[in-house]
Amino acid sequence: MRLTLINTSPKGKNGNTEIVSQRFIDGFLTSEENIARILHLTDMCAETINETVKLSDYIIIAFPLYVFNLPAATINVLRLLDLVKADKKMKIGFICQFGFLEACHARAIEHLLHRYCDDIGAENIGVIIRGGCEGIKRKYDSKKPIPVLENFYEMGRYLTENKKFSTEILDWFSKPERIGNGFVKRLRARLFIFKANRFMWGALLKKNNALEKHWDQPLLRNLTDKQQTI
Ligand SMILES: Cc1cc2nc3c(=O)[nH]c(=O)nc-3n(C[C@H](O)[C@H](O)[C@H](O)COP(=O)(O)O)c2cc1C
């Protein structure tokens, strides 16, 4: 089987999507008959997409969740795929990884992607959803263990053996759906956000001289004072 994975993360090879994608491919390559490659946004153009559709049995589109949605670059790749005049039914799967732990954050996107595949006449082999992926790149660079990567490996292996993902395996992979309202769980989530704001995102903002701007809302319409009071 020939698989092309398109990493549509704006961070390309330097992001978390790349690391989970690599591990997924490692699992897929456990069968000697398989071949796989990873493409990035810098490779994307109509020609590459046409060639990808022609040469691949499976296409996996990997992306991070940005503001509960697909990054703009992922949408562009979906648009390019939609324009391809394929002479066979495309088999498309998705990897959606993101920061918050709960899978429910990506359920709306999952529906949208099912709909997308129906609309373009492709077979959706499954949407792999995994939260709690914040900081994977940092841990990877400092050689810390990252247990979730073994699950991505297993998902790649599962694809070689089963040709598509079952609802059961996708549900197993994406757990927890919600962390619930238990006091301890909520407290741990709050503590994580507090620590991350201070030491992780805070440090990044500081490094980029953007700490003072972290409440900026550049995309809000520039309303006059009068309009704002209406
Ligand atoms: C602009 C931006 C928006 C994000 N929005 C969300 C979000 O809505 N929900 C979430 O769980 N994580 C969110 N995250 C976290 C990313 O999904 C997470 O860090 C992911 O692993 C990044 O993958 P990447 O390194 O390939 O970009 C956001 C990150 C960025 C930079």
Side-chain angles (χ1 to χ4, degrees):
M1 287 193 291
R2 296 162 303 180
L3 179 142
T4 301
L5 186 150
I6 308 176
N7 173 1
T8 61
S9 165
K11 291 191 204 147
K13 290 181 185 170
N14 293 319
N16 299 333
T17 311
E18 180 73 4
I19 293 166
V20 303
S21 299
Q22 290 283 0
R23 206 61 195 126
F24 176 84
I25 294 284
D26 290 344
F28 179 77
L29 291 177
T30 44
S31 162
E32 281 178 6
E33 288 162 15
N34 289 349
I35 51 173
R37 63 176 179 166
I38 299 189
L39 296 179
H40 300 92
L41 291 173
T42 42
D43 306 314
M44 283 302 110
C45 64
E47 221 169 59
T48 317
I49 288 279
N50 272 311
E51 183 222 30
T52 297
V53 172
K54 217 184 272 173
L55 297 180
S56 314
D57 300 312
Y58 294 97
I59 298 171
I60 303 283
I61 298 178
F63 63 92
L65 203 64
Y66 277 4
V67 200
F68 299 97
N69 215 326
L70 300 162
T74 311
I75 297 174
N76 279 341
V77 171
L78 296 181
R79 284 204 182 115
L80 283 174
L81 260 180
D82 184 17
L83 295 175
V84 175
K85 302 264 174 285
D87 49 12
K88 61 177 180 192
K89 192 165 177 146
M90 284 187 265
K91 291 183 180 170
I92 309 180
F94 303 88
I95 294 177
C96 169
Q97 60 78 27
F98 48 94
F100 288 117
L101 198 57
E102 300 166 300
C104 61
H105 289 263
R107 293 297 175 205
I109 292 295
E110 184 185 27
H111 282 287
L112 186 141
L113 293 172
H114 282 309
R115 208 28 218 279
Y116 166 81
C117 287
D118 281 351
D119 286 352
I120 69 164
E123 180 185 340
N124 184 351
I125 60 163
V127 183
I128 300 175
I129 290 173
R130 184 67 227 190
C133 289
E134 187 68 60
I136 282 188
K137 168 80 176 140
R138 211 170 13 89
K139 287 186 200 150
Y140 185 83
D141 289 345
S142 50
K143 302 200 167 26
K144 289 194 177 141
I146 313 169
V148 74
L149 290 185
E150 288 327 293
N151 294 356
F152 276 99
Y153 177 88
E154 286 306 322
M155 290 303 266
R157 207 159 66 119
Y158 184 92
L159 182 60
T160 56
E161 288 164 10
N162 299 279
K163 317 290 182 240
K164 69 186 286 186
F165 298 103
S166 65
T167 320
E168 287 75 27
I169 191 84
L170 290 171
D171 285 349
W172 162 79
F173 186 74
S174 61
K175 275 189 168 92
E177 187 64 29
R178 289 175 189 276
I179 59 169
N181 280 323
F183 176 73
V184 177
K185 285 177 179 160
R186 289 279 154 202
L187 184 68
R188 273 172 61 185
R190 292 256 161 217
L191 279 175
F192 169 77
I193 290 172
F194 174 76
K195 263 172 64 184
N197 270 338
R198 214 181 157 108
F199 301 110
M200 198 160 67
W201 300 312
L204 273 174
L205 285 165
K206 221 171 183 173
K207 187 174 150 202
N208 290 295
N209 291 326
L211 195 57
E212 305 308 318
K213 298 183 189 164
H214 77 284
W215 286 114
D216 279 10
Q217 297 175 307
L219 299 180
L220 273 194
R221 274 180 303 156
N222 210 357
L223 301 176
T224 63
D225 288 348
K226 195 171 160 227
Q227 282 169 318
Q228 283 179 12
T229 53
I230 292 173

